[in-house]
Amino acid sequence: MAEIEPEDKQLISFLKSALNASPDLIFAKDIRLHYQAVNDAFARFIKLPCAQILGFKDEELFSEADRPAWLGGSDHQVLQTLNPVRREQWVKQGNETILLDILKSPIYNDQGKVIGLLGICRNITDHKKAQQSLQAEKEKAEQATAAKSEFLARMSHEIRTPMNAVLGLTRLTMNTELNPEQLDYMEKLLSSGEGLLNLIDDILDFSKIEAGKLTLEHTTFSLEELIRQSINLTAINAHLKGIELITDIASDIPEKLIGDPLRLQQILVNLLNNAVKFTDIGTVCLKVRIKAKTEQHLVLHCTVIDTGIGISQGQQQNLFDCFTQADDSMTRKHGGTGLGLAISKQLTELMSGNIWLSSKPGQGSQFHFTARLGLTKEQVNLQPIEKQQVANLKVLVVDDTRVARMVLLAMLSSLGISADQVDNAMDAIAKIKQARAEKSPYDLILMDWRMPDMDGLEASREIYRLHDSAAPPILMVSAFDKDEAKNNALKSGTCIHQFIEKPVSQSTLVDAISTILTTPTPQALAKDLISRGIKTEIPGLPPQSNTVAGRKKATAPDFSGFDILIVDDNELNCRVAQGFLKDSRINIDLAENGLVAIEKIQQHHYDLILMDIQMPQMDGLSATSHIRKILRLEHLPVIAMTAHAMEADIIRSREAGMTAHLTKPITPEVLYQTLLDHLPERPLARERPGQQVK
């Protein structure tokens, strides 16, 4: 027998030490299943010395009654199939039972011949118990989340049902004859109710995000229209506080993008509302730039800049956490739940973006966020005028707010116009005089309305007084209600060529300049009408109104000849829907639950069904399923009109066969549009007995 080299002895000693250091049970058997090697952990486990194990089989070491099944199990399978075998098995060890992870694999020599098998057994009892504990905790957390979601869904339903009546009847009352004080009360009642609904929506959104159930849409939308809507939702509060809203949108941003416009608008409105809320004087500016761009996507960088109270470094740390505000005193002074920024943070992360801020107390704040959006080939031309048409125009921008001037100058520059600027009306008048004296008069004046010392209307009157018919066209830019500016101009006899309202968008400015280039100045007509005291509409000036400023009443379409069935067990909700549709001349029938609705549908023809979901005797989902499957009315529009507002509720409505899902409280505009979308082609007139509403 060849003598073992010292190097080989050292290697064998090293391998033996490594095997004995392992807590796993390790053994090797030859093809006749005799033990050829074991480590100390294996010997201790079966309670035999290593020397008594080597060279023996399991049946030689243990009696048939004491032989551990896990030792010899699957040995023949490994040697016959030459494939590893792995399994978990509970094994008795003293007074306790442990779980072994057993792996057996074939062993090959240098020539590739099988010479035995290797077994490695690991005690995974603690790991298994940890897994089971983790799974139990996970299930417990999921049950708690489900219970919380169920609670929120129930509370949402219970709140939305009476709110539908409160808001609906408030809107109907506002359409009646009211004095200014009563109308003011109704406006405040409606605004407070909508504020409550916004709070409910915030809580539901937060719950969806927390549960990972909020998914984003991917649809084509107009960025300019989205920003305009966001500004409109903020403008009322800004105007009441005298705060100027400004938008600074880079001209290289495509008009059409792909993403979730509703959620993007939600972030913008939240940041803009916060900026207005914590700003008492000055401006709020929305700045939008492209941070990165590829062939298919771009990353928008949006910044909301205010001149408000600012936030200290310590207050900024937890500002994006749930139910957190910069200061407890703010909750009392300004209100709010502290959910808005937490939701905005989650939404930006869903859009592969981020949100952060920079601020100092007393110096205002800058809230930044990024969002990744898709690009589309579907684009629109925002410039109906060619640059060469306007490049030679001499334009003067008059505005006391520097940011507003810079934005207007940038927009004009993108059109190829290099404009002059001044920050007050007196300097504007002087500059216009100087330009006329130098035989280089201005072609257009962009005049701010409300400025210190002399406002834009007074400055415009002075310009027309000095220059008469040679005065340049004046484009009045108002940070507040442009209709009020128009009426003031009409009353004072001031001729303004065009009125646009801040924040000014690129398309609004282009449209205004296009109108000025193609429309003769209206000063002669205006002066003549004003001098004669004729109350009529003139170019650029609206007719005067004696009505109290308030929300515009939604105009009901003409649905005469159509027959619909409203299915709802709540009498007030039925009255609200009837009130909204009163002026539409539609024929309305009522049913208090699904069973009554099915009876009526079998007896009468209806063009559309408005169906509540939660009702006694038969709910709306069951009734709709019956209409589709039993009555086989597959094309009859059935619209869910319900206080169930969760995503799962919408899915259940769709699965039951409903055509659309409206969430209470219902607004007249949404109801009218839904009927327009889903009513069939106008039917032939049919005679029906009885009253319009039964």
Side-chain angles (χ1 to χ4, degrees), residues 209 214 216 263-264 266-268 270-271 299-300 302 320 340-356 367-373:
I209 294 171
L214 186 76
L216 298 181
R263 297 305 179 183
L264 183 59
Q266 186 175 352
I267 300 171
L268 287 174
N270 183 266
L271 295 182
V299 176
L300 278 189
C302 303
F320 295 101
L341 289 177
I343 292 172
S344 297
K345 181 177 185 294
Q346 298 280 8
L347 290 176
T348 55
E349 290 174 354
L350 286 174
M351 296 179 186
S352 303
N354 197 8
I355 188 169
W356 70 97
F367 278 82
H368 305 257
F369 77 90
T370 56
R372 185 170 178 264
L373 301 169

Side-chain angles (χ1 to χ4, degrees), residues 76 81 132 180 248 290 346 415 430 501 556 594 600 635 641 682:
H76 292 288
T81 64
Q132 291 172 342
D248 182 6
I290 295 178
Q346 298 280 8
L415 296 174
E501 191 168 330
K600 293 200 171 193
H635 301 293
M641 192 166 68
R682 180 159 294 281

Side-chain angles (χ1 to χ4, degrees), residues 487-533:
N487 286 329
N488 288 345
L490 182 61
K491 291 176 182 177
S492 62
T494 307
C495 181
I496 304 297
H497 198 288
Q498 278 282 105
F499 289 84
I500 56 176
E501 191 168 330
K502 293 181 181 178
V504 180
S505 66
Q506 184 80 12
S507 63
T508 304
L509 184 62
V510 167
D511 290 342
I513 294 176
S514 300
T515 303
I516 289 172
L517 292 177
T518 57
T519 306
T521 56
Q523 57 261 36
L525 175 59
K527 289 179 180 178
D528 180 57
L529 291 172
I530 292 168
S531 65
R532 289 188 290 159

Side-chain angles (χ1 to χ4, degrees), residues 287-486:
K287 183 178 178 182
V288 185
R289 296 290 186 269
I290 295 178
K291 182 179 181 181
K293 188 175 182 180
T294 65
E295 291 184 0
Q296 296 181 332
H297 298 91
L298 62 75
V299 176
L300 278 189
H301 180 186
C302 303
T303 311
V304 176
I305 307 166
D306 65 59
T307 56
I309 58 177
I311 304 171
S312 69
Q313 195 67 34
Q315 293 168 337
Q316 294 178 28
Q317 294 179 1
N318 302 319
L319 201 58
F320 295 101
D321 294 343
C322 311
F323 306 105
T324 300
Q325 288 193 323
D327 193 345
D328 288 341
S329 63
M330 290 183 185
T331 305
R332 293 190 292 272
K333 180 180 178 182
H334 300 284
T337 61
L339 274 178
L341 289 177
I343 292 172
S344 297
K345 181 177 185 294
Q346 298 280 8
L347 290 176
T348 55
E349 290 174 354
L350 286 174
M351 296 179 186
S352 303
N354 197 8
I355 188 169
W356 70 97
L357 81 151
S358 57
S359 178
K360 290 183 179 179
Q363 298 183 23
S365 303
Q366 295 186 14
F367 278 82
H368 305 257
F369 77 90
T370 56
R372 185 170 178 264
L373 301 169
L375 294 172
T376 176
K377 295 180 180 179
E378 176 190 348
Q379 298 297 336
V380 295
N381 180 21
L382 294 180
Q383 298 185 9
I385 53 177
E386 298 294 334
K387 284 189 177 182
Q388 52 265 34
Q389 290 181 268
V390 297
N392 294 325
L393 286 180
K394 187 171 183 180
V395 179
L396 176 64
V397 176
V398 187
D399 200 310
D400 62 309
T401 303
R402 182 181 180 279
V403 177
R405 289 200 312 275
M406 294 301 103
V407 170
L408 288 173
L409 289 172
M411 289 182 181
L412 292 169
S413 177
S414 69
L415 296 174
I417 300 173
S418 179
D420 297 328
Q421 58 166 315
V422 292
D423 61 4
N424 64 81
M426 295 302 297
D427 287 351
I429 294 171
K431 211 162 184 62
I432 293 169
K433 281 183 182 178
Q434 180 184 352
R436 187 179 182 188
E438 294 173 353
K439 308 295 184 183
S440 178
Y442 284 101
D443 300 301
L444 176 64
I445 310 296
L446 269 62
M447 180 79 71
D448 187 25
W449 175 22
R450 293 185 178 175
M451 295 183 291
D453 299 328
M454 179 184 286
D455 66 29
L457 291 177
E458 188 179 349
S460 299
R461 286 196 297 274
E462 181 66 13
I463 291 168
Y464 278 112
R465 188 186 68 78
L466 293 173
H467 301 281
D468 198 25
S469 60
I474 296 177
L475 179 59
M476 183 65 68
V477 185
S478 168
F480 306 95
D481 189 352
K482 69 178 181 181
D483 289 338
E484 183 184 350
K486 289 179 181 180

Side-chain angles (χ1 to χ4, degrees), residues 638-676:
V638 180
I639 312 297
M641 192 166 68
T642 174
H644 290 280
M646 303 295 280
E647 184 68 26
D649 299 319
I650 299 174
I651 294 173
R652 281 193 289 268
S653 295
R654 191 181 301 120
E655 291 174 346
M658 290 187 168
T659 313
H661 187 103
L662 298 184
T663 302
K664 295 174 183 175
I666 306 297
T667 63
E669 296 84 356
V670 170
L671 182 57
Y672 298 155
Q673 188 58 53
T674 301
L675 295 183
L676 287 170

